[in-house]
Amino acid sequence: IFIKMKLAILAVIASTAAAFAPQAGTTTSTALNAEAGRREFFSKAAAATAAVVGAAAPANAVIDYENIGYLGGSSIVDLNNANVRAYLKMPGMYPTVAGKIVSNGPYASVKDIYSIKGLTSAEADVLKKYEDRFVAKTPSPDYVIDRINNGLYR
């Protein structure tokens, strides 16, 4: 991608320089000749710009996170990427147990949540109640950063 961009920039610079280079066969300079030279220059510049735009590589950006449904918008919650507020829908989870989950990740599997340091037996019972509603997806930097505080306040 970068090589194509460099070549395109080089082509634009070369065409611009060629437009200002003296050409053989031009003997006198008149207002009509200057107008024709300007037209030729701008037509070359437009052609070079069209070539650069036409040769631009497509963006390979991620359009949407494939696991977005597990961030709190469904009944299943991703332990590694969901925000602490995703656990509001599960009575007994928010804020204490949910806070421990988001503070101690990432998790390789759902069973890893039972090894959270300081987890009481009552909190483990709450986790057991909702265990079938958890998944442990690969942590995504876009969402891990906001797990504890996503900036939404009442």
Side-chain angles (χ1 to χ4, degrees):
I1 295 173
F2 295 110
I3 293 172
K4 287 182 182 178
M5 289 294 288
K6 287 180 181 179
L7 289 174
I9 292 171
L10 183 63
V12 170
I13 291 171
S15 67
T16 304
F20 288 105
Q23 297 178 4
T26 306
T27 55
T28 59
S29 177
T30 64
L32 293 174
N33 288 347
E35 185 68 29
R38 258 183 279 169
R39 273 195 203 118
E40 184 180 344
F41 167 73
F42 284 118
S43 67
K44 284 182 182 179
T49 303
V52 170
V53 171
N60 294 324
V62 175
I63 295 172
D64 200 1
Y65 177 59
E66 62 273 3
N67 296 318
I68 199 142
Y70 301 123
L71 298 180
S74 70
S75 62
I76 299 174
V77 175
D78 180 6
L79 296 171
N80 290 323
N81 295 302
N83 184 272
V84 69
R85 295 175 64 90
Y87 300 94
L88 278 168
K89 300 175 188 173
M90 302 175 200
M93 290 287 293
Y94 185 84
T96 308
V97 181
K100 288 182 179 181
I101 291 172
V102 299
S103 298
N104 290 290
Y107 306 100
S109 71
V110 175
K111 299 285 183 192
D112 291 349
I113 59 175
Y114 295 106
S115 61
I116 294 174
K117 203 173 190 176
L119 190 69
T120 66
S121 60
E123 292 168 341
D125 290 340
V126 172
L127 287 173
K128 188 71 174 165
K129 178 180 175 183
Y130 297 110
E131 182 179 6
D132 61 331
R133 293 180 61 182
F134 299 140
V135 293
K137 300 289 185 180
T138 304
S140 172
D142 297 332
Y143 297 102
V144 170
I145 195 169
D146 293 331
R147 287 178 52 199
I148 297 172
N149 179 2
N150 64 355
L152 296 177
Y153 306 103
R154 291 184 195 229

